Amino acid sequence: MAFLKILVFLCLFATVHLRVPKRINNELEAYIEEKKAEINPRYKLHYHVTPPVGWMNDPNGFSFFNGEYHVFYQFYPYDSQWGPMHWGHASSPDLVNWEQLPTALVPDEEMCFSGSAIVKDDQLVLMYTGRVNTEVDPFFYESQYLAFSDDGINFEKYEGNPVLPVALDGSPDFRDPKVWKHGDYWYVVIGSKTPDNRGRVLLYRSPDLISWEFLNVLGESTGNMGYMWECPDFFEINGRHILLMSPQGMEPVGDRYKNLHQTGYIIGTFDYETFEFVPEVDFQEIDFGHDFYATQTTENDGKRILIAWFGMWETPFPEAVDGWAGAMTIFRELVLHNDRLLMKPVDAMTSLREETVWDGKFEEGEKISFDKTLELIVTSDLNQKINIQITGSNGGDQILLQWDPDVRKVVVDRDGDIRQVEWSPIDSKSWRIFLDASSMELFCGEGEVVFSSRIFPNGEWLVTNLSPQSVDVVAYKLRRSVPE
């Protein structure tokens, strides 16, 4: 009955509530500009995309259009906590230097939940989930909407929205469309759940982005992979297909799945004739840190690039008292090696190196003070333990980066909250560590193991070698590449 009520409502809605095209909301942009002056900058990141004010979560619409990369994000400008979702917007020529652009989408009857972007007929097209609250059970529904732009800045919502009103089984959880082109058709994967609360990903196709045909359930939990699969992505690397998604509600198993919600991938094969995805390698986490969720990828120049929300639901955001909350990770290139995805920082990250501030031995027990932005390359003897302590020059949060040769595990200990995973180096045995004003990203070797964790120091950085060995360190101060 609830499904029928939703269907009738949507039919009436599509008939009498055509979308009114909207340009930049000057009143909103003036508000953002005024509120920026009130932001406390102590934790504001210098080379990560963050909201100018207010709240940020999932990256959206990651794409390449008119010679620039575009990334959008879930955005609530009026408070530093989650609220009615807008789409914030930033652009970059190189994935490193970012310009803040006007808010791309503002809510009307619908909140503008997550989605993706594609280029069609010289337009940048956004496909996003519109969420509308109702007064009948299940008290909300989610549908798929379109918005179009000729210049990549001003967006007009499609007058015939929604183009995909309901999931095939009527599930109200029907969100986060990721679109791509293959042959003569556009395809989209959308996150959903079964009636008995098992996560799934649905596959559709369309000749024009307007009329959509359901094809198949691309993937589905058998009961041990959570109650909802959010933010699905589907792409090919080296002839193999990757289903990347964020399952909610997976139970911890040993060292794995320690976060409240997970992000990972399944490797398999896909047939565009039968629309069947056949898994070949079981689900694997893609990042092992405390704060990593809701990934999105795009491809350009033959490289598959990934970004994620540098946060986690239902955890504290200490920066919220400063007038903003949430960030994006640095951008990473994905490489498929045998049955694993490797992640490494995009090559352009080296352009941020402003000066070399250390190059040599870091002796046992030695302490070094650094500015708020730092890249560290640590090389050591992996037959001995490593223990690098990172904290604020005036205290605050502390994180320990450790290597235990007895069990061959990398350990990230954030004030007693531990994440750890086995590491088998392919070639390089070095660690590459990125520190920003309130973040740490650790890339081991060729990117076999990556940890992304927020950390909130008082003052600048203080790094101490607590290892029973000296280690070789090269340290670079990194310049600012996002707006203040």
Side-chain angles (χ1 to χ4, degrees):
M1 182 60 70
F3 171 71
L4 291 176
K5 288 179 181 178
I6 292 172
L7 191 59
V8 169
F9 179 84
L10 286 169
C11 290
L12 291 172
F13 183 84
T15 303
V16 300
H17 288 278
L18 298 182
R19 293 297 177 200
V20 178
K22 287 194 174 180
R23 290 288 177 176
I24 292 172
N25 187 321
N26 291 323
E27 183 178 340
L28 171 58
E29 298 312 311
Y31 166 83
I32 291 172
E33 195 62 30
E34 180 180 349
K35 294 296 287 186
K36 281 163 60 175
E38 301 177 14
I39 297 295
N40 184 335
R42 56 178 176 161
Y43 297 137
K44 206 70 157 71
L45 302 178
H46 296 71
Y47 57 89
H48 294 76
V49 176
T50 61
V53 301
W55 169 270
M56 166 193 280
N57 57 280
D58 306 5
N60 301 152
F62 184 27
S63 53
F64 189 79
F65 176 69
N66 283 352
E68 288 202 314
Y69 291 95
H70 291 258
V71 66
F72 304 81
Y73 50 87
Q74 293 287 274
F75 179 42
Y76 184 56
Y78 299 109
D79 201 346
S80 52
Q81 60 184 355
W82 191 93
M85 286 292 97
H86 300 52
W87 272 33
H89 186 194
S91 67
S92 169
D94 55 11
L95 297 170
V96 170
N97 298 286
W98 289 92
E99 176 187 1
Q100 192 71 45
L101 296 177
T103 306
L105 295 176
V106 298
D108 290 313
E109 294 86 353
E110 88 290 358
M111 288 187 283
C112 303
F113 273 29
S114 291
S116 55
I118 60 275
V119 179
K120 178 180 184 290
D121 299 330
D122 296 323
Q123 287 187 309
L124 187 60
V125 184
L126 309 182
M127 187 173 189
Y128 68 98
T129 295
R131 178 172 170 129
V132 177
N133 294 330
T134 69
E135 295 182 356
V136 297
D137 188 27
F139 304 109
F140 72 93
Y141 64 87
E142 294 172 341
S143 307
Q144 313 317 314
Y145 289 60
L146 297 177
F148 298 86
S149 176
D150 294 324
D151 60 8
I153 298 175
N154 296 280
F155 289 86
E156 297 181 353
K157 296 179 181 179
Y158 175 54
E159 291 186 344
N161 280 333
V163 294
L164 248 175
V166 289
L168 189 68
D169 60 3
S171 172
D173 292 281
F174 182 51
R175 57 184 175 269
D176 311 335
K178 179 65 191 295
V179 187
W180 74 97
K181 182 80 177 292
H182 181 84
D184 295 329
Y185 287 95
W186 300 94
Y187 292 81
V188 65
V189 285
I190 302 175
S192 189
K193 64 168 64 171
T194 65
D196 60 346
N197 291 322
R198 289 179 291 113
R200 60 171 20 171
V201 171
L202 308 176
L203 175 66
Y204 296 77
R205 76 173 180 182
S206 170
D208 55 9
L209 296 176
I210 305 298
S211 301
W212 291 92
E213 168 193 9
F214 173 75
L215 298 177
N216 205 355
V217 175
L218 194 70
E220 183 175 285
S221 170
T222 57
N224 63 347
M225 282 192 61
Y227 57 78
M228 174 69 196
W229 287 4
E230 291 197 313
C231 304
D233 201 342
F234 194 61
F235 51 88
E236 184 178 349
I237 299 181
N238 297 342
R240 303 179 78 183
H241 284 82
I242 314 294
L243 176 58
L244 176 66
M245 73 288 194
S246 292
Q248 293 186 308
M250 291 182 69
E251 295 294 329
V253 178
D255 290 338
R256 300 283 60 77
Y257 320 138
K258 289 293 196 178
N259 290 333
L260 184 64
H261 304 300
Q262 317 308 319
T263 296
Y265 60 96
I266 299 170
I267 301 173
T269 60
F270 179 72
D271 189 329
Y272 276 98
E273 297 296 325
T274 64
F275 313 119
E276 289 189 9
F277 175 63
V278 179
E280 297 176 326
V281 183
D282 290 340
F283 180 83
Q284 303 175 74
E285 289 173 283
I286 194 168
D287 188 293
F288 300 92
H290 299 78
D291 302 291
F292 185 94
Y293 191 71
T295 51
Q296 192 161 110
T297 73
T298 196
E299 186 174 5
N300 189 43
D301 289 336
K303 295 181 178 181
R304 178 65 57 171
I305 308 299
L306 175 144
I307 185 178
W309 179 36
F310 212 158
M312 180 57 58
W313 294 115
E314 298 175 49
T315 58
F317 287 81
E319 72 270 36
V321 298
D322 295 340
W324 68 284
M328 297 299 164
T329 63
I330 62 172
F331 290 76
R332 298 107 184 264
E333 181 183 347
L334 294 180
V335 176
L336 184 64
H337 178 78
N338 296 329
D339 289 337
R340 297 177 59 193
L341 282 179
L342 312 183
M343 284 198 300
K344 62 178 183 178
V346 294
D347 292 341
M349 285 298 295
T350 58
S351 70
L352 294 183
R353 294 172 180 173
E354 196 168 56
E355 62 177 302
T356 303
V357 292
W358 186 276
D359 187 355
K361 289 289 184 184
F362 189 19
E363 301 293 346
E364 180 181 353
E366 189 169 5
K367 298 182 179 183
I368 313 175
S369 295
F370 295 106
D371 289 337
K372 286 192 172 186
T373 60
L374 185 67
E375 178 188 350
L376 289 167
I377 299 174
V378 178
T379 305
S380 59
D381 179 0
L382 294 184
N383 293 313
Q384 299 184 61
K385 291 184 177 182
I386 305 171
N387 192 353
I388 305 296
Q389 180 192 64
I390 301 171
T391 188
S393 56
N394 298 317
D397 284 358
Q398 172 186 279
I399 202 163
L400 298 173
L401 308 182
Q402 301 171 320
W403 165 250
D404 186 340
D406 294 334
V407 292
R408 313 295 292 180
K409 287 183 179 181
V410 180
V411 181
V412 174
D413 180 347
R414 186 177 68 182
D415 290 329
D417 187 7
I418 292 174
R419 303 289 184 272
Q420 58 185 351
V421 64
E422 294 180 359
W423 176 39
S424 298
I426 295 172
D427 185 11
S428 169
K429 296 178 174 60
S430 296
W431 288 356
R432 193 174 176 190
I433 305 162
F434 288 87
L435 296 174
D436 207 338
S438 57
S439 69
M440 187 286 304
E441 289 159 284
L442 166 62
F443 296 82
C444 299
E446 307 298 326
E448 303 93 349
V449 169
V450 181
F451 295 83
S452 302
S453 299
R454 296 292 301 277
I455 172 175
F456 296 85
N458 292 333
E460 299 180 334
W461 292 111
L462 179 64
V463 181
T464 306
N465 182 15
L466 300 178
S467 314
Q469 61 168 312
S470 63
V471 297
D472 292 308
V473 170
V474 179
Y476 303 96
K477 179 182 178 181
L478 303 184
R479 64 175 174 82
R480 174 179 289 278
S481 64
V482 299
E484 292 192 52

